[in-house]
């Protein structure tokens, strides 16, 4: 597969607690799985301010040292103006304006492993897209309430976007996959400032002044995923094509939680994880996060893995979670 012609930036968001240790795994996996990656790896860090009731910055000095000195990450600050503690998912929106303007970027959630040559993915940065590793989590339809079509159309109309061209003609009306909907675990575009400004505008307006069909809808924690398809469609993008199949495939793995990772992800992903966490410099840092210690180093991961057939997994994630909980193998 040909490499993307020009270098691009990668960004994840990290802060105190779980995310700082996930960021270490992401950075370690990028360097191990794509040593020829020539772009910049940014770790965006929210700064203290009125939107936080604590200091949100990375507070493990050893984790910060690993990120910067072992894995070559650039830790950059950003201000939380619209979200913060009330909606931490908004970090991925607000962090974008801290990136270099006009330079193509790919955002990843920190709970992602790079398992192959990311630099070989032929991104078309003029046509944004995002992850299709999602379930029909939003909207949740009420009896006698607005359907999928009315709900989504009200959002496209609110922002002056063409609703009809966003639909998948191969799917039936009122089936959730007909409507543009992504997981916000990865997305990309040619300019983080243009993408971030629109993302911020749409998310805050949906939160503060939603159209009438959304009156009974729960906006949290889905707000980023409600706004994201509108942003991507408005910037001329859409569903990812087969050329991006390695994302959420053999090049990246959005693992979500350690129990889910061991239960359902590929042998390749498990091998990458075990290899990058073997060095003592990594182990002594990430074992501070209890699920990493239990599942990677103390055998709970292999116990979770033994419960499932990766070729015949339960249809819905909740069914996997329930089985893990029954065996006391659920942690986050």
């Amino acid at each position: 597969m040909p490499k993307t012609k020009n270098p691009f930036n990668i960004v994840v968001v990290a802060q105190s607690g779980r995310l700082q240790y996930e960021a270490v795994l992401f950075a370690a996996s990028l360097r191990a799985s794509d040593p020829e990656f020539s772009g910049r790896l940014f770790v965006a860090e929210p700064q203290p301010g009125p939107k936080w009731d604590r200091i949100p910055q990375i507070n493990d000095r050893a984790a910060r040292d690993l990120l910067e000195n072992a894995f070559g990450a650039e830790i950059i600050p950003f201000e939380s103006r619209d979200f913060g503690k009330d909606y931490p998912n908004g970090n991925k929106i607000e962090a974008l304006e801290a990136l270099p303007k006009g330079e193509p970027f790919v955002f990843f959630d920190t709970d992602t492993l790079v398992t192959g040559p990311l630099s070989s993915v032929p991104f078309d940065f003029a046509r944004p897209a995002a992850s299709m590793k999602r379930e029909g989590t939003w909207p949740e339809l009420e009896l006698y309430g607005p359907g999928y079509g009315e709900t989504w159309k009200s959002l496209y109309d609110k922002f002056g976007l063409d609703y009809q061209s966003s639909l998948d003609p191969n799917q039936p009306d009122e089936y959730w996959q007909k409507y543009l909907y992504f997981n916000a675990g990865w997305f990309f575009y040619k300019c983080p400032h243009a993408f971030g400004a629109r993302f911020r505008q749409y998310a805050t307006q949906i939160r503060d002044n939603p159209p009438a069909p959304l009156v009974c809808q729960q906006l949290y924690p889905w707000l980023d995923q409600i706004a994201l398809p509108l942003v991507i469609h408005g910037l001329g993008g859409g569903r990812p094509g087969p050329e991006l199949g390695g994302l959420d495939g053999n090049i990246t793995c959005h693992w979500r939680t350690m129990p889910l990772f061991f239960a359902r992800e590929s042998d390749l992903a498990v091998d990458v994880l075990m290899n990058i966490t073997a060095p003592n410099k990594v182990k002594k840092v990430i074992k501070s996060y209890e699920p990493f210690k239990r599942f990677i180093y103390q055998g709970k991961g292999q116990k979770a893995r033994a419960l499932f057939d990766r070729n015949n997994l339960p249809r819905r994630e909740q069914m996997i979670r329930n089985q893990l909980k029954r065996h006391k193998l659920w942690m986050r």
Side-chain angles (χ1 to χ4, degrees), residues 77 145 166 253 298:
S166 74
C253 170
Q298 295 183 352

Side-chain angles (χ1 to χ4, degrees), residues 23 59 81 102 105 140 232 271-272 285 291 303 315 321 323:
N59 61 359
R81 302 201 313 267
F105 76 95
E140 292 186 359
I232 286 175
D271 287 346
V272 168
V285 171
K303 290 180 181 178
R315 186 172 57 88
R321 288 174 181 252
Q323 189 165 342

Side-chain angles (χ1 to χ4, degrees), residues 138-202:
W138 193 92
E140 292 186 359
L141 302 190
E142 300 279 340
L143 188 64
Y144 307 120
Y148 286 104
E150 184 179 351
T151 302
W152 279 114
K153 187 176 185 302
S154 71
L155 287 164
Y156 284 80
D157 289 347
K158 178 178 178 65
F159 298 110
L161 302 172
D162 180 56
Y163 165 71
Q164 200 64 35
S165 63
S166 74
L167 303 177
D168 183 346
N170 298 315
Q171 301 290 348
D173 289 346
E174 295 304 316
Y175 177 56
W176 70 271
Q177 291 195 35
K178 187 178 185 68
Y179 310 92
L180 199 60
Y181 190 55
F182 300 109
N183 184 310
W186 61 259
F187 52 83
F188 63 86
Y189 189 52
K190 62 184 180 182
C191 176
H193 289 225
F195 195 100
R198 190 175 291 228
F199 208 172
R200 185 190 297 273
Q201 175 197 357
Y202 288 3

Side-chain angles (χ1 to χ4, degrees), residues 33-45:
S33 298
D34 193 3
E36 295 186 16
F37 175 73
S38 59
R40 299 165 74 183
L41 170 60
F42 292 105
V43 176
E45 179 186 52

Side-chain angles (χ1 to χ4, degrees), residues 49-273:
K51 292 293 184 180
W52 295 100
D53 58 0
R54 57 183 174 85
I55 296 176
Q57 295 155 294
I58 295 169
N59 61 359
D60 187 320
R61 290 185 179 180
R64 183 182 291 272
D65 180 67
L66 263 186
L67 287 167
E68 290 183 315
N69 297 318
F71 302 128
E74 300 176 50
I75 298 177
I76 56 172
F78 70 91
E79 301 299 326
S80 301
R81 302 201 313 267
D82 288 302
F83 300 105
K85 70 179 179 63
D86 291 336
Y87 188 60
N89 287 19
N91 279 343
K92 68 184 63 176
I93 300 172
E94 303 203 89
L96 296 179
E97 69 178 17
L99 297 177
K101 187 175 184 179
E103 295 184 12
F105 76 95
V106 186
F107 169 88
F108 287 101
D109 277 344
T110 49
D111 53 349
T112 302
L113 283 181
V114 180
T115 55
L118 188 58
S119 55
S120 73
V121 176
F123 292 102
D124 178 358
F125 285 102
R127 186 185 182 276
S131 172
M132 295 288 279
K133 188 177 181 180
R134 81 280 191 247
E135 295 183 343
T137 48
W138 193 92
E140 292 186 359
L141 302 190
E142 300 279 340
L143 188 64
Y144 307 120
Y148 286 104
E150 184 179 351
T151 302
W152 279 114
K153 187 176 185 302
S154 71
L155 287 164
Y156 284 80
D157 289 347
K158 178 178 178 65
F159 298 110
L161 302 172
D162 180 56
Y163 165 71
Q164 200 64 35
S165 63
S166 74
L167 303 177
D168 183 346
N170 298 315
Q171 301 290 348
D173 289 346
E174 295 304 316
Y175 177 56
W176 70 271
Q177 291 195 35
K178 187 178 185 68
Y179 310 92
L180 199 60
Y181 190 55
F182 300 109
N183 184 310
W186 61 259
F187 52 83
F188 63 86
Y189 189 52
K190 62 184 180 182
C191 176
H193 289 225
F195 195 100
R198 190 175 291 228
F199 208 172
R200 185 190 297 273
Q201 175 197 357
Y202 288 3
T204 54
Q205 289 193 22
I206 292 167
R207 177 193 66 188
D208 299 339
N209 187 27
L214 273 67
V215 67
C216 293
Q217 290 294 333
Q218 179 67 40
L219 298 183
Y220 291 170
W222 313 116
L223 182 60
D224 59 333
Q225 295 190 177
I226 300 168
L228 185 59
L230 306 170
V231 175
I232 286 175
H233 187 65
L235 292 172
R239 297 167 181 84
E243 72 280 0
L244 300 180
L247 303 175
D248 300 320
N250 63 350
I251 291 180
T252 66
C253 170
H254 188 189
W255 50 268
R256 301 284 300 281
T257 71
M258 278 288 108
L260 287 175
F261 173 80
F262 280 99
R264 68 185 181 185
E265 301 300 346
S266 68
D267 291 343
L268 169 64
V270 172
D271 287 346
V272 168
L273 177 71

